[in-house]
Amino acid sequence: MTEQERRIKAEQRERFDFAVIANWLLPGERVLDLGCGDGRLLRYLSETRDVTGYGVEIEQESVLGCIRNGVDVIQMNIESGLLGFEDRSFDHAIISQALQTMHTTERILTEMLRVAAEAVVSFPNFAYRANRAAIADGHMPVSEDLPYDWFDTPNVRFFTIVDFEHLCRRLDIEIRERLAFDEAGQEVSDDPNLNGSLAFYRLGRRS
Amino acid sequence: MSPENSVGLVTPQRARFDSPLTLKSGAVLPGFELAFETYGKLNAGQSNAVLVCHALAGSHHVAGRYADDPENLGWWDNLVGPGKPLDTNKFFVVGVNNLGGCYGSTGPLSLKPETGKRYGADFPLVTVEDWVAAQARLADQLGIETWAAVVGGSLGGMQALEWSLQFPDRIRHAMVIASAPKLSAQNIAFNEVARQAILSDPDFHGGYYAEYGVVPIRGLRLARMVGHITYLSDSQMAEKFGRQLRHGEHKFSYDVDFEIESYLRYQGNKFAGFFDANTYLMMTKALDYFDPAYAYAGHLPSALARARARFFVASFSTDWRFAPARSREIVFALLENRLRVVYAEIDCDAGHDSFLLDDQHYHALLRAYLGNIAV
């Protein structure tokens, strides 16, 4: 694959991820995007769903990217929570493929459901078939959804669909919807923990 | 800085306002003048005007140089000019010396019409709100209905914030940098030390020193020395001066031993040579009094409910005078009002003074934000 092909594929993949998230939002919603990178998801959501809201990001180059993209961004570290954000002040809090890069998983999930009515979480499933094969072969997995070598990965939490759902139960978080996709972007329903490379969740509080 | 992205030679102007201005204190100024400078051209739709507000010791001389004083470079020249982050090819930039200032606007050094003598201590205390009211009159006179942006650092940031509250429909973007929604007790304490230094100088004469032909230079010098300590970070002071000795050995005297002493004395002397003591006192009081939440039982989100502008808020990691937490107070109060805001916490070693430097990332942020403002 040439560099250009790779880039086009990555962009298609990204658009696909964005579309999955956009489908869970109502037009005009207020959203908070945690670990928003350069703000391209928020920009997509504002263009396609007319949402308003803020990104939260710690990396200075990403903050600059957000400003260039015209996305409102708050530079802060969310590991210690979302101090300052009011309860229930957003319709959705989103964390798109960034939860695995943060240490305080429980606190972040709890905080997302404090400040927003629902949370949307996507993450790479470490138990995906190809990842298991890599481990069986003696290597840490590198794939479409885990595109980093072990020595320079930003990921610090390695978990699976099954693990995540255990944690949700423990935190009394309600799983309202789950979607899993393989590396080709095909939705999988049969044994997602084995066949799903990327997982998307719509979460709420049990009332 | 290469001359091609400088605004070049500039000429200060004066605007006269003859209708009385009632100040926040209740005092009335029958009329007043403001010294100002402009850079760039106001476009036909008057949609490209940016007001730059100065901090404690600043002036209307924001950018460029004077033909008769070429060493006197504008205080934010690294930001303002053709091709610079606040690009004068795009924006019409206005710098103004605040009411009560000592650079040409009506202030304690001006002659009081009733007596023909300098106001001195008779000049009423003016506040951030009064400055903004006076700046609005200048905007009227320049034909500017709405500012594309009002930009300021420190006390200047407070003016940008105040613009968004006093004239919500006359400001599209408020850029509040290294600022705070009000002073802390510690901030006020430092100001009080500075004021006491001036007030207790025997040459102060209750503020009427001009009538005695003297200047409370010792008090001013001390006030500036105290101020300077709060502008720098501990780490930067350590790096810049450390325990370096002026004469390479301990002198066992009260003369300058350490380089930091020399630096503070130099800064104090320089400042005391040109700044007016009454203006300094008043500026510190304006800082102390600024508190838009005061009328709302201390609840900042209620105070900011009137604002309509979009906000750019930035703080600096080593600024302990107006620490990042102070900027976050503003940010979260804006969020509570569902206002648009970007907030950057910039890693910079230079403490409070960082806002005046041309740190690469800081200027990239300003360039990006200002670049997206439609004119």
Side-chain angles (χ1 to χ4, degrees):
Chain A
M1 218 183 335
T2 67
E3 190 55 42
Q4 198 188 358
E5 283 168 340
R6 230 190 306 275
R7 211 187 56 237
I8 289 168
K9 193 143 180 269
E11 276 171 16
Q12 284 169 345
R13 180 69 189 217
E14 184 179 83
R15 289 281 143 164
F16 171 78
D17 297 348
F18 289 1
V20 171
I21 294 170
N23 267 331
W24 281 340
L25 310 181
L26 292 172
E29 273 196 7
R30 223 172 113 76
V31 303
L32 186 66
D33 182 9
L34 303 176
C36 66
D38 67 3
R40 62 179 73 185
L41 171 61
L42 268 177
R43 192 156 94 161
Y44 173 88
L45 295 175
S46 81
E47 284 165 4
T48 58
R49 294 306 244 192
D50 197 28
V51 306
T52 59
Y54 310 89
V56 179
E57 183 49 68
I58 184 72
E59 292 296 331
Q60 65 169 23
E61 282 312 307
S62 297
V63 170
L64 177 58
C66 284
I67 294 175
R68 286 190 177 134
N69 280 325
V71 165
D72 290 342
V73 62
I74 314 294
Q75 186 170 12
M76 67 181 269
N77 186 348
I78 61 170
E79 292 272 17
S80 49
L82 296 171
L83 194 73
F85 290 94
E86 294 285 292
D87 291 359
R88 291 262 183 172
S89 49
F90 295 92
D91 297 306
H92 278 101
I94 301 167
I95 188 158
S96 166
Q97 298 193 51
L99 189 64
Q100 77 276 7
T101 67
M102 295 168 191
H103 287 92
T104 56
T105 318
E106 291 173 70
R107 181 181 294 152
I108 290 166
L109 287 171
T110 308
E111 281 285 86
M112 287 173 80
L113 286 170
R114 176 181 67 79
V115 303
E118 282 194 341
V120 171
V121 176
S122 73
F123 60 86
N125 174 32
F126 280 76
Y128 176 52
R129 185 189 303 277
N131 300 338
R132 295 189 196 193
I135 297 275
D137 199 32
H139 295 288
M140 284 301 280
V142 176
S143 71
E144 193 90 27
D145 295 313
L146 285 170
Y148 302 100
D149 282 309
W150 65 271
F151 50 83
D152 71 349
T153 179
N155 299 332
V156 296
R157 291 283 180 261
F158 305 90
F159 54 99
T160 69
I161 284 176
V162 166
D163 292 334
F164 183 72
E165 294 184 6
H166 275 153
L167 181 63
C168 288
R169 268 195 295 282
R170 205 158 69 76
L171 297 175
D172 213 22
I173 290 171
E174 181 179 58
I175 296 170
R176 295 184 176 165
E177 219 167 326
R178 181 192 70 203
L179 290 170
F181 299 89
D182 64 18
E183 275 185 285
Q186 291 298 312
E187 189 180 340
V188 296
S189 48
D190 178 41
D191 198 353
N193 201 44
L194 178 65
N195 296 314
S197 174
L198 197 60
F200 292 80
Y201 285 85
R202 189 163 66 82
L203 307 171
R205 262 178 257 85
R206 280 183 208 290
S207 47
Chain B
M1 199 52 72
S2 56
E4 60 265 30
N5 60 3
S6 165
V7 297
L9 293 179
V10 297
T11 311
Q13 305 173 61
R14 297 173 74 80
R16 168 91 212 154
F17 306 92
D18 287 318
S19 55
L21 180 68
T22 303
L23 304 172
K24 202 182 174 198
S25 66
V28 178
L29 271 183
F32 62 94
E33 289 187 353
L34 292 178
F36 69 100
E37 288 178 14
T38 70
Y39 323 99
K41 279 198 172 72
L42 187 62
N43 65 14
Q46 289 104 36
S47 65
N48 69 334
V50 173
L51 176 66
V52 175
C53 301
H54 68 74
L56 204 101
S59 71
H60 52 290
H61 186 36
V62 177
R65 298 176 190 276
Y66 298 137
D68 58 355
D69 185 9
E71 294 305 305
N72 186 356
L73 186 66
W75 59 270
W76 220 351
D77 190 80
N78 63 26
L79 183 79
V80 180
K84 288 181 181 173
L86 183 40
D87 190 346
T88 50
N89 290 327
K90 174 181 177 180
F91 293 110
F92 175 66
V93 180
V94 179
V96 57
N97 184 214
N98 282 331
L99 196 57
C102 54
Y103 291 105
S105 292
T106 301
L109 291 177
S110 307
L111 300 181
K112 194 177 176 182
E114 298 93 317
T115 62
K117 289 190 206 163
R118 292 185 192 276
Y119 274 99
D122 289 345
F123 196 83
L125 281 187
V126 294
T127 62
V128 171
E129 291 88 337
D130 299 328
W131 286 334
V132 167
Q135 289 161 1
R137 291 209 185 168
L138 178 63
D140 294 341
Q141 203 169 100
L142 294 173
I144 297 160
E145 174 56 35
T146 305
W147 297 104
V150 178
V151 187
S154 191
L155 179 54
M158 292 173 174
Q159 292 160 60
L161 178 59
E162 174 59 26
W163 259 99
S164 77
L165 306 179
Q166 202 177 133
F167 299 103
D169 301 321
R170 298 190 69 177
I171 166 174
R172 291 195 284 131
H173 295 266
M175 299 180 70
V176 181
I177 303 165
S179 194
K182 62 173 185 282
L183 293 201
S184 67
Q186 188 193 46
N187 293 147
I188 295 171
F190 275 110
N191 280 347
E192 174 60 5
V193 172
R195 281 191 295 270
Q196 284 302 324
I198 294 168
L199 295 168
S200 61
D201 185 322
D203 284 338
F204 183 64
H205 295 291
Y208 299 103
Y209 40 85
E211 292 173 28
Y212 296 80
V214 292
V215 168
I217 201 155
R218 287 162 292 182
L220 256 178
R221 187 192 293 148
L222 268 177
R224 186 60 169 177
M225 286 169 80
V226 169
H228 252 277
I229 296 170
T230 71
Y231 302 152
L232 302 179
S233 70
D234 188 26
S235 61
Q236 189 204 27
M237 239 191 223
E239 191 189 315
K240 219 168 157 177
F241 306 104
R243 292 180 56 85
Q244 285 168 54
L245 296 169
R246 193 70 211 264
H247 306 288
E249 57 179 357
H250 294 170
K251 299 298 274 185
F252 299 99
S253 78
Y254 297 116
D255 207 347
V256 168
D257 263 322
F258 296 95
E259 285 290 358
I260 182 62
E261 297 172 312
S262 166
Y263 171 80
L264 288 177
R265 289 184 192 197
Y266 170 78
Q267 291 294 343
N269 282 331
K270 190 172 84 168
F271 189 71
F274 64 80
F275 208 83
D276 178 57
N278 283 314
T279 291
Y280 196 85
L281 289 172
M282 199 198 67
M283 293 271 177
T284 63
K285 267 300 191 191
L287 269 163
D288 291 1
Y289 287 138
F290 183 69
D291 180 7
Y294 183 70
Y296 297 85
H299 191 244
L300 188 61
S302 301
L304 303 194
R306 277 169 292 163
R308 295 288 171 269
R310 287 173 61 175
F311 281 77
F312 172 96
V313 180
S315 66
F316 296 92
S317 54
T318 56
D319 182 354
W320 57 277
R321 183 184 173 91
F322 294 147
R326 311 307 316 285
S327 284
R328 283 197 290 266
E329 290 174 38
I330 299 173
V331 170
F332 286 114
L334 294 169
L335 248 65
E336 221 176 303
N337 284 297
R338 307 194 162 201
L339 288 161
R340 295 197 59 180
V341 55
V342 303
Y343 171 60
E345 214 165 285
I346 299 156
D347 228 353
C348 185
D349 195 38
H352 187 58
D353 266 353
S354 299
F355 85 87
L356 293 168
L357 305 182
D358 61 351
D359 174 83
Q360 199 185 346
H361 177 62
Y362 168 45
H363 269 203
L365 293 170
L366 290 171
R367 184 183 290 280
Y369 190 84
L370 287 159
N372 278 342
I373 294 180
V375 297

